[in-house]
């Protein structure tokens, strides 16, 4: 009884530490005063200036475009990479996974500077260089989402399809791809959030004049924190939350459907 | 005699360091029901996978209708497989599973619908069109796998222990259905099982294998009645395999006592394996027997009793009879000359495994 109660308190404390700052941030974004401590009334003013600012809106568009494009590209490349790694022998697979994991564990600042040095040599820094950078750091996430799905996949179903007359491609599209789809989707959304999240690598690989939300906020803050930034941060948080819920519904609903299907029959 | 449809020539296959098949030769005639029979791990599935195109042999070739198909991908071979582990498409309904091959062949919807219905009736699962594979029992899934293969009307059907998950009654029903299919559609069957009874019931020809080598090829009768070595005798039905000495033609000594038999062509005093089927060991009153013994155990097996007898010549016999001899009773034991099977002893460990080349392929039909 006491243990149960203690457990609840513990979870409560964790929740407070995790979410109280965000709650405060959201509250402040509706505060009429610019003060960080005084509540002087409710307002939408900061949101109005936020959505009125062309610089912010442009950065928002850039962020979204970067996230979607880099996630889509990385998903495609990551899918092929995962298939390649899966069909390798054990030793080769280990080596490939090792190299896949390096960018994940590498400090962002190292990746950022390295990519910058590389890009400066070959192309003007700008949207395309950030996009390339995001694709680069997104690929490992996609691979890591797809590979487990591949490994638990029943390869005999693929063989059965071939046996029934399917070409390799048709068998892949009809039999393997549906099984891999949850992994690919998870990888895609992971990549979207990673891309929206990133500041350091973007900061180093962006040229002058291009801004994502995170680099824009950073630039603004150096001039002093304005309440619009609270509003912007709240919007970002909401966006990520929506994506998370969407992913949950997407991957969860399938299982529910599956269960009810089984229930109907059983 | 119908023509050879599939021929395996000189096939060898290793996985890593383990040699699974070694210079294997085998042919299958059109419309023949051939069963590969052997203990677990002897290479049965590997042979099917080579015929199906899922493994390439290290050495040797596969011929189909006279053409070399060793390098042909599975989708271009005119045969279908019922896999050992069913391999149904889990994200598709039963109907979609069965229709898979037909859709690839661009059959029209009307034809496909009729075929699905026909196939489901055949495997005794009518009305299962919209179910998902996961909601079916193992035996039901196995039957769907059979249905999925046969709707394509392949020239050859490869079946890897397709009835393994079924209960006895259903298994017998399906055995009849498969034989009917073979006769109606003229399909050639290559059937894998490790159930010797199933092999004896269904096959035109049985190929007995052990550790990647073919031990014997023949009709069910010849395999059962004239096993070429102790392994086959032991594997096909229960047997008494006894050490003996061939005294002269038609006379064998077991445990120091001479018995009349019908075998000839052995060296004088050659040590041999003597095989006697349990149902050929006749029990009766002590006075009438060639030798005597004491019943040590008796087990009721349904149709008959299985009886262990400790005999006076120091050998334990197993007998099957419909009569009840209580444990401890004294009995007379007799075996008629025809029922002794005399076999050469293997010369060495290596020869325990016999290569096909030692036995000319005498496939009847
Ligand atoms: N892909 C593989 N990699 C390594 N070894 C394999 C592979 N496939 C089969 N083997 C080995 O080859 C041997 C023969 O296997 P196979 O599956 O042909 O046996 P089987 O006769 O079908 O047995 P069962 O009756 O248990 O199905 C076994 O020792 C098995 O471990
Ligand atoms: Mg097998």
């Amino acid at each position: 009884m006491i243990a149960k109660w203690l457990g609840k308190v513990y979870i409560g404390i964790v929740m407070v530490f995790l979410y109280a700052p965000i709650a405060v941030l959201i509250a402040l974004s509706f505060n009429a005063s610019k003060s960080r401590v005084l509540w002087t009334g409710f307002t939408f003013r900061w949101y109005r200036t936020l959505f009125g600012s062309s610089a912010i809106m442009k950065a928002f568009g850039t962020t979204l475009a970067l996230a979607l494009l880099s996630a889509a590209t990385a998903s495609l490349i990551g899918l092929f990479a995962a298939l390649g790694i899966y069909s390798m022998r054990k030793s080769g697979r280990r080596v490939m996974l090792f190299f896949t994991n390096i960018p994940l564990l590498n400090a962002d600042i190292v990746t950022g500077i390295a990519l910058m040095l590389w890009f400066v040599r070959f192309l003007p820094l700008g949207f395309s260089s950030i996009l390339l950078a995001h694709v680069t750091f997104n690929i490992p996430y996609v691979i890591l989402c797809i590979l487990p799905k591949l490994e638990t996949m029943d390869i005999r179903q693929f063989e059965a399809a071939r046996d029934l007359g399917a070409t390799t491609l048709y068998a892949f599209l009809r039999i393997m791809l549906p099984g891999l789809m949850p992994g690919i989707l998870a990888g895609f959304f992971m990549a979207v959030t990673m891309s929206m999240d990133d500041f350091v690598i973007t900061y180093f690989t962006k040229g002058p004049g291009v801004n994502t939300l995170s680099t824009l906020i950073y630039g603004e803050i150096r001039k002093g924190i304005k309440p619009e930034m609270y509003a912007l941060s709240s919007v970002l948080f909401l966006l990520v939350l929506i994506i998370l819920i969407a992913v949950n519904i997407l991957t969860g609903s399938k299982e529910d459907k599956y269960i009810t299907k089984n229930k109907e029959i059983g | 005699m119908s023509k050879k449809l599939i021929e395996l020539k000189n096939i060898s296959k290793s996985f890593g360091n383990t040699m699974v098949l070694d210079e294997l030769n085998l042919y299958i005639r059109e419309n023949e029901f051939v069963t590969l029979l052997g203990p677990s791990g002897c290479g049965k599935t590997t042979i099917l996978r080579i015929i199906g195109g899922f493994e390439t042999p290290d050495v040797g070739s596969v011929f189909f209708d006279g053409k070399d198909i060793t390098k042909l991908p599975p989708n271009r071979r005119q045969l279908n497989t019922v896999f050992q582990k069913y391999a149904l498409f889990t994200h598709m309904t039963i109907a979609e599973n069965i229709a898979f091959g037909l859709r690839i062949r661009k059959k029209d919807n009307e034809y496909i619908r009729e075929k699905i219905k026909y196939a489901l009736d055949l495997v005794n699962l009518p009305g299962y069109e919209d179910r998902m594979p996961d909601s079916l029992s193992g035996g039901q899934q196995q039957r769907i796998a059979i249905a999925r293969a046969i709707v394509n009307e392949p020239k050859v059907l490869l079946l890897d222990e397709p009835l393994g998950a079924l209960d006895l009654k259903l298994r017998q029903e399906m055995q009849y259905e498969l034989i009917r299919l073979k006769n109606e559609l003229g399909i050639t069957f290559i059937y894998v099982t490790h159930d010797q009874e199933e092999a004896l019931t269904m096959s035109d020809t049985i190929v007995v294998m052990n550790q990647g080598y073919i031990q014997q090829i023949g009709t069910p009768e010849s395999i059962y009645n004239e096993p070429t070595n102790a392994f086959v005798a032991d594997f096909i039905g229960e047997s008494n395999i006894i050490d003996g000495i061939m005294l002269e033609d038609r006379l064998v000594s077991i445990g120091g006592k001479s018995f009349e038999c019908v075998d000839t062509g052995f060296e004088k005093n050659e040590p041999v394996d003597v095989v006697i089927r349990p149902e050929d060991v006749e029990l009766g009153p002590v006075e009438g027997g060639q030798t005597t013994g004491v019943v040590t155990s008796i087990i009721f097996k349904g149709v008959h009793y299985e009886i262990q007898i400790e005999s006076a010549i120091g050998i334990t016999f197993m007998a099957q009879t419909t009569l009840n001899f209580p444990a401890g009773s004294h009995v007379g034991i007799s075996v008629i000359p025809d029922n002794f099977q005399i076999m050469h002893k293997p010369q060495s460990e290596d020869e325990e495994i016999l290569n096909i080349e030692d036995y000319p392929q005498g496939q009847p039909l």
Side-chain angles (χ1 to χ4, degrees):
Chain A
M1 196 57 211
I2 286 177
K4 212 170 163 189
W5 189 75
L6 273 178
K8 279 194 177 146
V9 170
Y10 175 71
I11 289 180
I13 292 173
V14 170
M15 286 302 192
V16 167
F17 271 94
L18 276 178
Y19 290 104
I22 295 172
V24 170
L25 173 81
I26 294 173
L28 283 179
S29 73
F30 294 107
N31 189 359
S33 122
K34 283 194 178 187
S35 159
R36 259 170 271 171
V37 282
L38 279 180
W39 179 265
T40 54
F42 184 87
T43 181
F44 275 123
R45 188 176 139 209
W46 313 122
Y47 285 89
R48 251 179 273 123
T49 37
L50 172 68
F51 289 109
S53 153
S54 68
I56 292 177
M57 283 296 100
K58 202 172 146 222
F60 181 73
T62 310
T63 306
L64 216 60
L66 267 176
L68 294 178
L69 275 176
S70 73
T73 317
S75 297
L76 198 66
I77 298 176
L79 174 63
F80 287 122
L83 287 171
I85 293 173
Y86 173 70
S87 56
M88 278 178 173
R89 287 170 188 281
K90 273 235 164 59
S91 53
R93 201 190 278 204
R94 284 240 315 267
V95 173
M96 267 324 286
L97 275 178
F98 178 75
F99 281 112
T100 306
N101 281 335
I102 289 180
L104 281 183
L105 303 173
N106 203 3
D108 277 359
I109 190 143
V110 179
T111 311
I113 293 177
L115 285 173
M116 189 237 332
L117 289 174
W118 184 248
F119 289 152
V120 171
R121 174 78 186 70
F122 296 106
L123 74 169
L125 294 183
F127 182 82
S128 52
S129 63
I130 313 175
L131 181 62
L132 277 178
H134 282 213
V135 170
T136 309
F137 72 70
N138 273 338
I139 289 173
Y141 291 105
V142 177
I143 293 178
L144 290 185
C145 285
I146 296 178
L147 214 51
K149 289 274 172 226
L150 262 176
E151 262 150 19
T152 55
M153 184 159 269
D154 183 6
I155 196 72
R156 281 180 235 106
Q157 286 186 32
F158 179 77
E159 289 186 342
R162 300 274 283 135
D163 184 78
L164 292 166
T167 59
T168 319
L169 180 66
Y170 186 76
F172 175 76
L173 293 178
R174 282 297 306 278
I175 306 302
M176 303 267 284
L177 207 54
L180 293 179
M181 221 49 210
I184 298 172
L185 279 182
F188 176 82
F189 284 113
M190 186 96 132
V192 167
T193 45
M194 284 300 154
S195 167
M196 287 181 39
D197 227 27
D198 178 69
F199 167 72
V200 178
I201 295 174
T202 312
Y203 186 75
F204 280 102
T205 51
K206 87 187 185 67
V210 187
N211 263 322
T212 64
L213 284 177
S214 57
T215 60
L216 185 79
I217 293 175
Y218 178 73
E220 292 292 317
I221 283 174
R222 280 197 303 192
K223 298 177 216 156
I225 300 175
K226 285 192 242 153
E228 291 100 281
M229 292 301 116
Y230 304 149
L232 180 53
S233 304
S234 306
V235 171
L236 267 181
F237 173 74
L238 192 72
L239 216 64
V240 172
L241 196 70
I242 288 172
I243 292 181
L244 259 177
I245 292 171
V247 170
N248 256 316
I249 292 173
L250 260 176
T251 51
S253 68
K254 244 185 207 148
E255 256 146 53
D256 288 348
K257 226 195 291 171
Y258 174 76
I259 289 164
T260 47
K261 217 168 208 167
N262 269 356
K263 267 190 195 143
E264 273 166 31
I265 289 156
Chain B
M1 210 158 162
S2 47
K3 65 173 183 201
K4 295 176 188 173
L5 191 59
I6 291 180
E7 248 187 303
L8 302 181
K9 282 197 180 147
N10 211 17
I11 302 272
S12 295
K13 176 79 189 172
S14 312
F15 292 108
N17 289 329
T18 42
M19 186 74 135
V20 178
L21 301 174
D22 188 9
E23 297 189 3
L24 181 126
N25 287 284
L26 181 69
Y27 61 79
I28 288 119
R29 295 189 177 282
E30 196 157 34
N31 202 18
E32 193 179 10
F33 195 121
V34 175
T35 300
L36 304 179
L37 178 66
S40 188
C42 72
K44 305 180 297 287
T45 298
T46 307
I47 293 182
L48 279 203
R49 288 177 61 82
I50 287 174
I51 298 175
F54 300 106
E55 305 278 1
T56 21
D58 303 333
V59 185
S61 326
V62 183
F63 290 87
F64 187 93
D65 223 351
K67 283 189 283 292
D68 187 339
I69 59 160
T70 318
K71 300 229 156 58
L72 207 64
N75 53 318
R76 301 195 23 218
R77 302 189 179 199
Q78 292 170 308
L79 38 84
N80 285 119
T81 310
V82 178
F83 291 86
Q84 189 165 10
K85 301 267 167 58
Y86 333 139
L88 297 181
F89 306 132
T90 40
H91 60 289
M92 297 184 191
T93 64
I94 297 306
E96 285 166 346
N97 263 278
I98 297 175
F100 192 86
L102 300 173
R103 292 225 188 281
I104 288 173
R105 272 176 208 89
K106 306 255 184 316
K107 303 287 186 195
D108 62 73
N109 287 337
E110 189 53 34
Y111 178 88
I112 291 177
R113 201 161 338 114
E114 268 169 29
K115 271 286 183 189
I116 292 173
K117 196 177 168 316
Y118 160 80
L120 284 177
D121 283 344
L122 190 85
V123 296
N124 220 342
L125 293 171
Y128 275 60
E129 279 90 345
D130 296 328
R131 298 272 293 257
M132 296 304 279
D134 282 328
S135 74
L136 267 52
S137 76
Q140 291 170 332
Q141 291 186 32
Q142 211 157 34
R143 283 181 279 160
I144 297 300
I146 294 173
R148 186 178 65 177
I150 56 169
V151 288
N152 302 294
E153 298 175 6
K155 272 199 169 162
V156 180
L157 201 54
L158 310 179
L159 302 105
D160 200 346
E161 307 196 21
L163 309 182
L166 307 186
D167 61 67
L168 185 64
K169 192 162 172 302
L170 200 54
R171 187 153 69 216
Q172 282 167 350
E173 272 175 40
M174 284 302 296
Q175 286 174 359
Y176 284 116
E177 287 305 324
L178 287 177
I179 292 171
R180 195 170 58 88
L181 261 180
K182 180 205 150 218
N183 295 334
E184 273 179 18
L185 304 178
I187 302 178
T188 305
F189 275 63
I190 306 179
Y191 195 94
V192 164
T193 180
H194 54 231
D195 178 345
Q196 44 98 7
E197 224 175 279
E198 191 167 283
L200 291 172
T201 321
M202 302 179 76
S203 323
D204 297 320
T205 303
I206 297 179
V207 180
V208 185
M209 298 187 50
N210 190 25
Q211 298 183 19
Y213 292 92
I214 293 177
Q215 304 287 311
Q216 187 174 0
I217 301 177
T219 59
E221 288 86 354
S222 72
I223 297 258
Y224 190 85
N225 294 328
E226 294 137 37
T228 49
N229 61 31
F231 174 82
V232 177
D234 193 33
F235 198 75
I236 305 282
E238 282 162 295
S239 280
N240 298 287
I241 300 174
I242 305 161
D243 288 331
I245 292 168
M246 205 65 186
L247 298 175
E248 57 189 67
D249 279 356
R250 300 191 185 81
L251 196 65
V252 63
S253 157
I254 302 170
K257 189 170 167 49
S258 304
F259 292 86
E260 256 184 72
C261 60
V262 294
D263 299 75
T264 58
F266 290 83
E267 311 239 333
K268 226 170 154 49
N269 293 327
E270 182 184 332
V272 289
D273 281 325
V274 181
V275 174
I276 306 165
R277 297 281 174 200
E279 65 269 25
D280 294 334
V281 177
E282 291 163 34
L283 304 181
V286 174
E287 304 78 55
Q290 290 166 300
T291 178
T292 62
V294 181
V295 174
T296 53
S297 82
I298 175 163
I299 302 165
F300 182 60
K301 288 269 177 157
V303 225
H304 55 72
Y305 293 98
E306 195 171 283
I307 301 177
Q308 303 272 353
I309 310 117
E310 201 61 59
S311 72
I313 53 175
I315 283 153
T316 310
F317 284 96
M318 195 213 293
Q320 286 171 356
T321 132
T322 49
L323 303 175
N324 186 347
F325 294 90
S329 58
H330 290 260
V331 291
I333 304 167
S334 340
V335 180
I336 62 167
D338 254 340
N339 288 337
F340 287 97
Q341 299 291 330
I342 314 286
M343 289 158 204
H344 293 283
K345 275 210 174 287
Q347 302 285 299
S348 64
E349 278 292 297
D350 289 345
E351 275 186 40
E352 201 101 39
I353 301 158
L354 291 158
N355 199 333
I356 166 70
E357 277 147 31
D358 302 342
Y359 291 89
Q361 235 184 348
Q363 295 187 77
L365 246 190

